[in-house]
Structure formats: structure tokens, C-alpha cells
Amino acid sequence: AKFIVIGSHNPVTAILGQEVVLPCHLSPRMSAANMEVRWFRSEFASIVHLYYDGKDQYDMQMSEYQGRTELMKAGLTEGNVHLRILNIRRSDEGQYLCFVQDDTVYEEAVLELRVADLGAAPLISIEGHQDGGIRVVCQSAGWYPEPEVQWRDLSGRHLSSLSKTTSLGDNGLFETETALIVKEHSNKNLSCCIRNTLLKQEKESAVYISDSFFPKVNPWMVVLTVILVVLFGFIVLTVYLFKMKLYKIWGETKLDEFCTKRQIPWLEEMGASLTSMGATNVTLDPDTAHPELVLSQDRKSVRWGVTRQDLPDTPERFDYWTCVLGCEGFTSGRHCWEVEVGDGQYRAVGVARESVSRKGRINSNPEGGIWAVHWLKDQFLVPTSPDTSLPMSQVPSRIRVCLDCDRGQVTFINAGDEASIFTFPPGSLPGERIRPWLWVW
């Protein structure tokens, strides 16, 4: 008899570590006890669960689902072919196909499974005085997908945060930290609320800051502050004059080939001088270059060649996006290099982890193992979650990439006017080998 297979029109949401039932049934209702029922992922052979000849068949089941699936046979005679999945994992997220065949008649339905998890209750801490107020920090971990974070006052009104960072932990779940400054005359009753938009659930913690925590102004402290400001200005002027003297001595050597202290905070911390932080020599790796990319003889520049070159399709080579990696890889220390950007409509500059995907469509964002700034026609942006738009007035012709492996941080600077473009916060990069990355189209 002819039939159709009907699944859930809306995505099914599951919580990590728990179980979920993927609904699927035949219409009109008829017994599926003697039919083949196949649940699979993107490919027909990627079997999540298989049932035929009146029993479950586990020989071809994917290893990651072994011992975690169950076809709910109690409803087979009524045309129900629901699938239960136990101990939900992050990797379970995505599309599933419910396929039913009776002799030569077969139909299928597509379902989407979304995975979510609620993290820990927010932990609020007071971390000292800043900008005439008190710095308050809210932290939480164990969230999926990336949660919304908000500060609120006693009436539920949203408060502007000073900073917010979100990163993936070693367990693949999101960790978040946000801070704000509480002034003496502002509302001292506040709460930190973290919300899972998929589950539409949230966790909230509140704090009250007593007046006794706020700093009192001391006249001697004011005098000392003025003295320190004047002294700092004198030091800055001395450094500037010394820099100009070095420029005269070096002649044709460009100062912008070096990272200065005022550009990257970590240079200040390590006490680096101009001469001790020379630019890192970077060359391009032809074994990773897409076949449509043409590298110069010295491997210092790359252009899009339009036509595809006859090159071996090795595991190291990008085969869909026209990307190329640098030969150099870094696991520790700090490194800087500059990239002069052409006039193409689509291009990107940044770094990628050694294990970045080279085949098919790739995600050019931190989740895909790439940290970069992009020019896309009339857009200048950083692929984050969501994308961070940058002012078109800041589009540089030459960009400096500064990588701090020890902090897991990368900063992009306009080498023309020394203005900071964007910084991925500490801990953004994984502890594996990092290589320069370019995209030209």
C-alpha cells in the first residue's frame, strides 16, 4: 500500500546527558512491523538505527550510537516508528532522516535535532576598585548553545556591561564572563542573568554592594595621581624622541615592521624594546594552497588565478575555499607580521589552527578553527557569534597580525595609522600549533 512518512515539522530539542524521542509515523496509519525502518544521518549508510525482518540490525550501526538507540516497537503496528536516543551528546546535533520501505515502496522524512544544556548558576564576585567605582564580575560555565548574559537592576531593567567574553571550554560547553562598574550613587542592588534561548530557561544570581565598599577620596592620593600623570607623560615623550632617533639611524628600515609597546599590551608587560621584537618572517605553504591560487616565487604573495591548476589533491590542500596557510607554525611566544591587502571583493587575513579543515565548505570563524578579519564586498567584519561589524572607515590597506600563543590571543592592527582593529580575548585560541591564514577570491 502507498503511504507517506511524517516527522516533526519543528526542531526537536534535547538536553545533554538525557534522552530524546525523535517522532516519525506513517500516513495513513498501517503496521510497519514487517517493513524496513532506517534512521540515518547525512548519508544512507550512516546508520543510526536499522530494523528489518522483524528485528533490530546492529551490524552496520555507527559506533557512536551503539548501545544508545531504541526503536519504540510498541507502536509499530499503528505505524509509529519513533526512535529513542539515550545519553545525548553534542555530536548528536543535526539532521536525521526517517526512512521506511515496504517492498518497492519507500518514503522518508527529515527531522532536526538541537542539543542544549543549562550551565551553573552565575557566580558574582567583587574584584576591586576601578574608574571611581567597584568592578563586579559574573562567571558561569556549562552552557550550550552560547547563552545570553545580562545585568539587571532591582526593577529588572537591563544594565550596560563593561565587558563580556564567551569561550568554549575543554568539554565543548560555553563559559562566559561579564563585568560592570558600580558607582557609589548608582543602583547597588543588581543581578546577573544567564539565559539559554533554546530551552527558554535562565539562571540568575543577585548581589547588594554596601556603601562601605566604595573608595573615599584622599587629598594626598590626588596629589600623588597628578605627579604620576606628569611623570608618565615625560616617559612617553622620551620614548617618542628615542623612536624618532632610531628612525634616522635605520634609514630605509621601516619602524612599522616592529611591534611597539603602545600597540599591544603584552609588549608592555614583557618590557620589549623596538629592536627585540622584530617582525616574524612569514612565507606561504604551496602544499596547502587551493589549486586556483598562484604563489609568487619567493612565496611572499598570493593572487587568485581564476583557472584551476593541475595539483595533487593531498589532505593538506584546501579544495573548496581559496585559502592558503603560512609555512611557519607557532606554539609559544609572541609573533607579529604584516599583510598588504589587494583590491579583491572577497579576502580575509588571520590565523588558523594546524588541524583546521581543508576539505569542502569550512567555517571561517573561531568554531571552525580560524580567527580573522574579512572584507566582503562592502562589509568589513569579524566572524564571531554573531558577526562583529567593523567601520568601513577603518578598512586598512596593510594590516598587522600580532599573535600571543601563551595567552591564546590574536590582535589585528591598522599598520597605516597604528589603530587597533580587533582583539580576540585571551584564551580564544587552542593550545595547538597556530599558522598564518589567507583567503583570496
Side-chain angles (χ1 to χ4, degrees):
K2 290 186 177 180
F3 57 85
I4 61 173
V5 177
I6 301 177
S8 174
H9 298 294
N10 299 317
V12 179
T13 301
I15 298 178
L16 281 173
Q18 298 187 17
E19 65 178 53
V20 68
V21 174
L22 301 181
C24 185
H25 69 271
L26 306 183
S27 180
R29 297 284 185 173
M30 63 182 67
S31 176
N34 296 319
M35 299 182 185
E36 176 183 335
V37 179
R38 179 187 297 248
W39 284 87
F40 62 97
R41 296 298 297 266
S42 56
E43 299 178 0
F44 194 73
S46 303
I47 296 175
V48 176
H49 194 95
L50 179 61
Y51 170 91
Y52 68 85
D53 286 344
K55 60 182 179 180
D56 298 312
Q57 308 288 336
Y58 296 105
D59 294 343
M60 296 183 290
Q61 186 181 37
M62 290 191 291
S63 58
E64 56 265 37
Y65 289 97
Q66 290 180 0
R68 296 200 300 123
T69 62
E70 175 189 358
L71 188 67
M72 303 177 69
K73 301 182 184 63
L76 282 177
T77 56
E78 298 177 359
N80 296 323
V81 290
H82 309 325
L83 180 70
R84 175 184 284 120
I85 303 178
L86 308 174
N87 189 21
I88 291 295
R89 305 171 182 173
R90 272 195 59 195
S91 58
D92 295 336
E93 191 169 54
Q95 284 191 344
Y96 288 76
L97 286 91
C98 174
F99 172 92
V100 181
Q101 181 173 359
D102 183 19
D103 293 331
T104 60
V105 178
Y106 62 87
E107 291 290 341
E108 66 183 23
V110 180
L111 296 85
E112 181 180 357
L113 175 63
R114 293 180 179 176
V115 176
D117 201 16
L118 283 175
L123 175 64
I124 300 178
S125 59
I126 298 175
E127 296 197 348
H129 299 116
Q130 182 177 334
D131 300 334
I134 295 177
R135 178 183 172 89
V136 184
V137 176
C138 173
Q139 297 172 311
S140 183
W143 294 84
Y144 192 83
E146 183 176 348
E148 288 182 353
V149 183
Q150 292 179 345
W151 288 101
R152 299 174 180 171
D153 62 15
L154 197 59
S155 62
R157 184 178 55 187
H158 296 171
L159 304 175
S160 299
S161 59
L162 176 68
S163 63
K164 186 182 79 170
T165 58
T166 304
S167 60
L168 276 175
D170 295 336
N171 58 358
L173 303 180
F174 284 96
E175 302 172 354
T176 183
E177 176 178 310
T178 181
L180 102 153
I181 303 297
V182 180
K183 301 289 186 177
E184 184 173 7
H185 301 292
S186 61
N187 197 323
K188 304 178 188 66
N189 281 297
L190 64 151
S191 64
C192 176
C193 177
I194 304 181
R195 179 178 177 82
N196 186 310
T197 55
L198 197 57
L199 297 175
K200 294 182 173 53
Q201 298 182 41
E202 61 186 35
K203 292 189 176 182
E204 187 173 11
S205 297
V207 67
Y208 172 77
I209 302 177
S210 171
D211 290 337
S212 60
F213 284 95
F214 290 91
K216 306 301 179 183
V217 178
N218 188 318
W220 287 107
M221 292 298 295
V222 176
V223 173
L224 179 60
T225 301
V226 172
I227 294 174
L228 291 176
V229 170
V230 173
L231 181 60
F232 179 76
F234 175 76
I235 294 173
V236 170
L237 179 61
T238 302
V239 171
Y240 174 77
L241 294 175
F242 178 68
K243 177 179 176 181
M244 297 308 296
K245 182 177 179 180
L246 287 177
Y247 184 81
K248 293 179 180 179
I249 293 174
W250 290 340
E252 294 299 322
T253 301
K254 295 180 180 180
L255 282 178
D256 60 15
E257 292 178 353
F258 298 90
C259 293
T260 63
K261 291 182 181 179
R262 69 186 179 88
Q263 293 164 354
I264 308 295
W266 48 258
L267 294 182
E268 184 79 33
E269 296 172 9
M270 64 184 291
S273 66
L274 291 172
T275 54
S276 68
M277 284 303 299
T280 301
N281 182 45
V282 172
T283 55
L284 302 176
D285 185 355
D287 292 336
T288 66
H290 186 277
E292 291 178 9
L293 295 182
V294 179
L295 274 58
S296 62
Q297 188 172 1
D298 62 0
R299 298 179 184 176
K300 288 285 189 178
S301 64
V302 59
R303 63 179 176 86
W304 183 47
V306 183
T307 57
R308 192 180 186 91
Q309 304 172 81
D310 185 15
L311 298 173
D313 185 17
T314 61
E316 293 79 15
R317 189 179 305 280
F318 290 96
D319 66 352
Y320 190 89
W321 296 118
T322 47
C323 307
V324 61
L325 294 176
C327 290
E328 293 71 22
F330 311 106
T331 57
S332 62
R334 288 104 175 188
H335 312 273
C336 292
W337 62 91
E338 286 188 6
V339 182
E340 185 174 344
V341 185
D343 296 328
Q345 287 188 333
Y346 303 88
R347 57 241 195 250
V349 173
V351 299
R353 62 189 182 194
E354 178 72 32
S355 60
V356 67
S357 176
R358 318 285 175 89
K359 304 302 179 183
R361 293 176 180 269
I362 61 175
N363 293 324
S364 56
N365 55 27
E367 292 183 1
I370 296 173
W371 296 262
V373 291
H374 287 238
W375 294 258
L376 303 175
K377 286 189 177 179
D378 57 351
Q379 298 183 68
F380 185 39
L381 56 86
V382 179
T384 52
S385 296
D387 291 345
T388 301
S389 296
L390 302 173
M392 291 299 294
S393 58
Q394 293 185 4
V395 175
S397 60
R398 198 168 76 256
I399 191 167
R400 180 175 300 125
V401 184
C402 292
L403 171 66
D404 184 349
C405 294
D406 300 328
R407 284 190 173 186
Q409 178 180 6
V410 61
T411 297
F412 299 93
I413 294 172
N414 187 333
D417 59 9
E418 308 296 337
S420 176
I421 298 173
F422 188 84
T423 297
F424 286 94
S428 298
L429 277 65
E432 67 174 273
R433 192 165 181 250
I434 301 297
R435 297 172 67 175
W437 175 84
L438 297 175
W439 176 46
V440 181
W441 182 40

